[in-house]
């Protein structure tokens, strides 16, 4: 991997690339589009943030290989948290990461479709999708009963958890529906569960990624905002 400029590293291609040659951009949400890991912030309301954050960090570094099990363990610790705590997380703690609006806007202006595919929760992803005007989104659904979390996830027709394999499958499915090759997709993420979708995309971007992600991404943004990708994509 070579250094393009301080904090910006490239692997396997010569910049610049033409943004309009791509047709789809897929984003992870937590710590990529937004500044927080939502499950950790919800856990703070239950007084269990340290315990949940430790599992999150191990999963994102790839030290826990069964992402589904790690998420079920974390969600179970949220049992009894009131739904109002999720509103508080969104309103008080959730912010878009620097450069996200600029980069997403540039992709949209170039005609790319936009996909949010997250191991997080629809309570937040639906709001982020609307806020950024994204085309598609897939995430996990927290089960709620009488205004509190049950500590379980809701089964969906495709399964119950968006893990790395599901992220890859969704990206490939959207490419097929659009009639494009996966090489015409960009995938942006930061954690180990983003590697499967990044591996099939024509351009993989690590945004302040964990070491394993930085090491495998074609473009690694390690300082500054997501709009630094536009130094490579014209």
């Amino acid at each position: 991997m070579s250094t393009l400029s301080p904090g910006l590293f490239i692997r396997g291609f010569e910049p610049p690339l033409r943004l309009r040659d791509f047709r789809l951009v897929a984003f992870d949400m937590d710590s990529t589009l937004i500044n927080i890991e939502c499950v950790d912030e919800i856990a703070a309301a239950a007084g269990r943030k340290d315990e949940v954050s430790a599992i999150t960090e191990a999963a994102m570094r790839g030290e826990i290989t069964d992402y589904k099990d790690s998420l079920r363990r974390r969600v179970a610790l949220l049992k009894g948290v009131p739904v109002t705590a999720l509103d508080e997380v969104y309103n008080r703690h959730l912010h878009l990461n620097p450069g996200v609006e600029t980069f997403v806007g540039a992709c949209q202006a170039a005609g790319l479709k936009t996909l949010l595919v997250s191991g997080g929760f629809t309570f937040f992803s639906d709001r982020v999708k609307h806020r950024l005007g994204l085309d598609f989104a897939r995430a996990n659904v927290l089960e709620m009963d009488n205004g509190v979390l049950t500590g379980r996830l809701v089964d969906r027709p495709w399964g119950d958890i968006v893990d790395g394999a599901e992220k890859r499958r969704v990206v490939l499915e959207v490419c097929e529906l659009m009639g494009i090759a996966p090489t015409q997709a960009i995938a942006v993420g930061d954690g180990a569960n983003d590697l499967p979708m990044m591996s099939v995309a024509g351009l993989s971007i690590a945004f302040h990624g964990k070491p394993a992600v930085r090491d495998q991404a074609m473009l690694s943004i390690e300082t500054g905002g997501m709009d630094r990708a536009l130094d490579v994509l014209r």
Side-chain angles (χ1 to χ4, degrees), residues 8-104:
L8 194 65
F9 301 88
I10 61 173
R11 177 199 304 276
F13 71 97
E14 290 294 328
L17 300 176
R18 297 197 308 173
L19 189 55
R20 64 180 178 273
D21 286 341
F22 295 92
R23 299 284 305 282
L24 173 70
V25 56
F27 297 97
D28 171 52
M29 182 176 69
D30 291 20
S31 298
T32 300
L33 288 178
I34 64 175
N35 64 315
I36 60 173
E37 293 287 334
C38 292
V39 67
D40 296 354
E41 296 304 320
I42 300 169
R48 294 174 172 167
K49 185 172 183 178
D50 289 347
E51 188 176 356
V52 170
S53 294
I55 301 173
T56 300
E57 278 296 307
M60 291 302 99
R61 290 193 300 264
E63 294 168 7
I64 297 176
T65 56
D66 190 338
Y67 179 83
K68 289 186 176 183
D69 178 64
S70 79
L71 185 60
R72 290 190 184 101
R73 286 164 54 194
R74 284 175 282 167
V75 170
L77 293 169
L78 306 181
K79 183 177 180 179
V81 173
V83 175
T84 53
L86 279 66
D87 286 308
E88 183 174 353
V89 168
Y90 182 80
N91 293 324
R92 295 185 59 185
H93 301 290
L94 187 152
H95 305 286
L96 297 175
N97 271 325
V100 163
E101 289 178 288
T102 299
F103 182 62
V104 170

Side-chain angles (χ1 to χ4, degrees), residues 151-177:
R152 295 186 297 270
L153 294 163
V154 177
D155 287 342
R156 307 297 296 280
W158 46 264
D160 66 335
I161 290 178
V162 179
D163 61 354
E166 179 65 9
K167 288 188 176 193
R168 177 183 182 274
R169 195 194 68 77
V170 170
V171 169
L172 292 175
E173 180 181 19
V174 173
C175 287
E176 183 175 15
L177 290 171

Side-chain angles (χ1 to χ4, degrees), residues 127-190:
R127 289 162 172 78
V128 172
K129 176 178 179 285
H130 176 75
R131 188 167 168 179
L132 289 170
L134 306 180
D135 295 296
F136 313 106
R138 171 154 294 176
N140 304 307
V141 182
L142 289 166
E143 186 179 74
M144 304 175 187
D145 184 43
N146 292 321
V148 300
L149 301 183
T150 66
R152 295 186 297 270
L153 294 163
V154 177
D155 287 342
R156 307 297 296 280
W158 46 264
D160 66 335
I161 290 178
V162 179
D163 61 354
E166 179 65 9
K167 288 188 176 193
R168 177 183 182 274
R169 195 194 68 77
V170 170
V171 169
L172 292 175
E173 180 181 19
V174 173
C175 287
E176 183 175 15
L177 290 171
M178 290 178 62
I180 65 172
T183 53
Q184 293 174 282
I186 300 169
V188 188
D190 74 300

